[in-house]
């Protein structure tokens, strides 16, 4: 007869743990995220440079199960990487453009060719395949308007299957580099 794993009771204070085996064990394959996993994701989105000991203290587990949980979250691709946030203006990227690209043909082969070409452009920091008017929405960074103009004429319009582009420029940043919302994961 299969054994059932006991569910850990929720601690009144998320920063403290009762120390039961179920609370400190690493998640099982296919297991839903629990409050410790969610806490790890929240803390690492805020500061990915936390040491394992600091992270463990913040979420209320000891270091070893915290480390196992982080490794599991990485293996399961909940955590896909770590990177530094850089102030684009400090490194001379004064222009952020939102560019809707209309494709000449919308078939699988032509779309894949355009996707591959877009992925190869370092100026494109994000690209989304979109519904409605247009095919792709690009987030493009350049040093200034003249550099963007040259780049769009010399590079963007020369990509395979590009029919037209529509550009809007950011006039000011209200929110950027935000952490993903996690409330919907809480039970």
């Amino acid at each position: 007869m299969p054994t059932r794993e006991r569910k850990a009771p929720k601690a009144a204070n998320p920063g403290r743990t009762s120390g039961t085996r179920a609370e400190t064990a690493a998640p099982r394959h296919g297991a839903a995220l629990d409050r410790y996993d969610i806490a790890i994701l929240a803390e690492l989105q805020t500061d990915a440079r936390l040491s394992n000991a600091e992270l463990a203290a913040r979420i209320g587990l000891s270091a070893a199960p915290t480390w196992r949980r982080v490794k599991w979250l990485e293996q399961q691709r909940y955590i896909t990487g770590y990177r530094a946030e850089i102030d684009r203006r400090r490194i001379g990227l004064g222009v952020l453009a939102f560019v809707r690209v209309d494709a000449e043909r919308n078939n699988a082969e032509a779309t894949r060719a355009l996707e591959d070409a877009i992925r190869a452009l370092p100026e494109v920091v994000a690209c989304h395949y979109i519904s409605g008017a247009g095919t792709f929405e690009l987030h493009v960074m350049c040093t200034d308007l003249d550099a963007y103009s040259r780049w769009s004429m010399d590079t963007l319009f020369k990509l395979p299957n590009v029919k037209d582009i529509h550009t809007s420029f950011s006039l000011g940043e209200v929110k950027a580099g935000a952490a993903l919302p996690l409330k919907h994961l809480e039970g």
Side-chain angles (χ1 to χ4, degrees), residues 56-70:
R58 287 188 184 188
I59 68 164
L61 286 178
S62 62
T66 299
W67 182 84
R68 284 192 299 269
R69 284 172 176 270
V70 169

Side-chain angles (χ1 to χ4, degrees), residues 26-144:
R28 297 179 321 274
H29 175 70
L33 297 179
D34 67 14
R35 65 189 175 113
Y36 294 107
D37 301 321
I38 296 166
I40 288 169
L41 295 175
E43 292 295 336
L44 290 178
Q45 282 192 112
T46 302
D47 185 358
R49 294 183 67 182
L50 288 172
S51 71
N52 187 61
E54 291 169 319
L55 178 60
R58 287 188 184 188
I59 68 164
L61 286 178
S62 62
T66 299
W67 182 84
R68 284 192 299 269
R69 284 172 176 270
V70 169
K71 292 300 165 202
W72 183 85
L73 290 165
E74 291 170 350
Q75 290 166 353
Q76 299 303 310
R77 305 286 296 153
Y78 287 99
I79 298 172
T80 59
Y82 301 89
R83 64 186 57 87
E85 286 186 32
I86 299 171
D87 184 330
R88 67 180 173 84
R89 288 171 207 82
R90 297 279 301 187
I91 61 168
L93 296 172
V95 169
L96 171 58
F98 303 97
V99 184
R100 189 181 74 220
V101 175
D102 297 325
E104 190 69 50
R105 295 181 300 277
N106 279 328
N107 64 51
E109 187 178 323
T111 300
R112 271 193 292 279
L114 184 51
E115 286 174 358
D116 291 343
I118 290 169
R119 279 188 199 98
L121 300 174
E123 295 84 358
V124 178
V125 297
C127 174
H128 298 269
Y129 191 58
I130 60 171
S131 64
T135 308
F136 294 101
E137 181 80 20
L138 313 180
H139 297 187
V140 177
M141 291 191 189
C142 292
T143 55
D144 55 35

